[in-house]
């Protein structure tokens, strides 16, 4: 079935640096969402993209449906950015939102 | 502003006992509603979705059922819990009329013993 492959599973950054998370899709997806897990385990919405790129503060996301991937870039990482980040993609032709396995981000002083 | 509420916050239940988890959305008319489940250490999976009152579609079979008795209410239930039902259950909503951004509730943590 449709799958979402998220990488890396874990990422360590020093404060002030940046990196990117990536999700690859095994099939064409209609849109992608990026979330961050909160302290209770629920999800905070970061981005929703049907195409192109969006930016919010130090976060920037891109989605390329044709090339079947999405990225989440974090720049100037801060300690409070630590946490688990998920991508999820809408499968074309269905009502299903398929989640990646998550990236555990640790920002170090 | 829209608010989404889930109940209970956490539940500890015995194998074979019944279960009912609830979700209500306030401030949005006729939303699409969704149930998700995440086993400990597992990936979040969509279980059900509903686009209108009385209509629920199953995505993954887990010996669970869902109902939408009111426009703003979504219920997840089973008559007999299994150990494998343990995990974190999330309800979500999106705008009606198509596939849009989903917003998640606070979740219910279920432990089956």
């Amino acid at each position: 079935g449709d799958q979402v492959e998220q990488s890396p599973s874990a990422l360590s950054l020093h404060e002030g640096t940046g990196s990117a998370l990536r999700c690859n899709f095994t099939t064409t997806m209609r849109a992608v969402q990026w979330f961050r897990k909160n302290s209770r385990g629920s999800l905070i919405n970061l981005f929703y993209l049907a195409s192109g790129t969006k930016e919010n503060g130090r976060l920037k996301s891109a989605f390329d449906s044709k090339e079947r991937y999405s990225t989440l870039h974090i720049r100037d990482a801060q300690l409070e950015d630590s946490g688990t980040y998920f991508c999820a993609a809408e499968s074309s032709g269905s009502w299903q939102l398929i989640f990646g396995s998550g990236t555990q981000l640790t920002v170090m002083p | 502003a829209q608010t989404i509420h889930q109940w209970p916050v956490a539940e500890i239940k015995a194998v074979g006992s019944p279960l009912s988890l609830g979700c209500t959305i306030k401030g949005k008319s006729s939303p699409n509603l969704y149930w998700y489940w995440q086993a400990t250490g597992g990936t979040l999976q969509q279980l059900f979705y509903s686009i209108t009152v009385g209509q629920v579609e199953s995505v993954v079979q887990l010996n669970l059922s869902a109902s939408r008795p009111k426009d703003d209410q979504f219920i997840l239930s089973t008559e007999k819990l299994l150990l494998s039902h343990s995990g974190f259950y999330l309800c979500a909503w999106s705008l009606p009329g198509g596939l849009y951004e989903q917003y998640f509730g606070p979740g219910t943590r279920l432990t089956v013993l």
Side-chain angles (χ1 to χ4, degrees):
Chain A
D2 299 345
Q3 286 196 7
V4 174
E5 299 164 353
Q6 186 172 345
S7 62
S9 57
L11 178 64
S12 293
L13 294 176
H14 285 286
E15 267 187 300
T17 64
S19 189
L21 285 56
R22 185 179 176 102
C23 284
N24 292 324
F25 314 121
T26 57
T27 187
T28 301
M29 299 294 186
R30 183 172 19 215
V32 68
Q33 287 191 242
W34 283 92
F35 301 92
R36 177 180 170 174
K37 195 183 232 185
N38 68 14
S39 58
R40 251 210 81 197
S42 188
L43 300 174
I44 301 167
N45 290 47
L46 298 177
F47 293 103
Y48 176 82
L49 298 98
S51 65
T53 62
K54 285 187 179 179
E55 192 165 356
N56 185 1
R58 295 177 290 100
L59 298 178
K60 181 177 180 179
S61 183
F63 173 49
D64 190 326
S65 175
K66 185 178 177 184
E67 297 299 322
R68 301 182 182 179
Y69 77 91
S70 177
T71 56
L72 177 69
H73 291 259
I74 301 173
R75 64 176 175 83
D76 188 25
Q78 302 297 306
L79 295 176
E80 58 265 28
D81 294 331
S82 294
T84 306
Y85 292 78
F86 293 94
C87 69
E90 289 174 9
S91 176
S92 296
S94 79
W95 287 81
Q96 195 170 356
L97 189 64
I98 305 167
F99 276 78
S101 54
T103 297
Q104 178 68 46
L105 173 65
T106 303
V107 181
M108 303 172 291
Chain B
Q2 302 82 28
T3 58
I4 179 168
H5 176 58
Q6 285 187 243
W7 73 91
V9 171
E11 187 97 271
I12 299 175
K13 301 278 280 187
V15 170
S17 64
L19 174 76
S20 181
L21 303 181
C23 173
T24 55
I25 291 86
K26 298 298 181 186
K28 183 55 67 179
S29 181
S30 303
N32 295 337
L33 298 176
Y34 311 86
W35 276 113
Y36 290 83
W37 167 74
Q38 183 177 28
T40 302
T43 303
L44 202 61
Q45 294 183 71
Q46 187 171 333
L47 300 177
F48 299 95
Y49 68 89
S50 170
I51 61 173
T52 191
V53 174
Q55 184 179 333
V56 176
E57 302 295 333
S58 172
V59 177
V60 172
Q61 291 295 330
L62 280 182
N63 292 309
L64 295 168
S65 60
S67 63
R68 187 170 177 178
K70 300 179 186 177
D71 186 54
D72 63 354
Q73 193 173 83
F74 207 17
I75 307 295
L76 185 70
S77 61
T78 183
E79 292 187 2
K80 282 189 177 181
L81 278 166
L82 307 172
L83 284 174
S84 57
H85 286 139
S86 291
F88 195 58
Y89 289 84
L90 283 167
C91 178
W93 71 271
S94 67
L95 291 173
L99 282 167
Y100 299 103
E101 185 171 5
Q102 292 188 27
Y103 300 88
F104 285 76
T108 294
R109 189 159 302 281
L110 173 67
T111 304
V112 182
L113 302 174

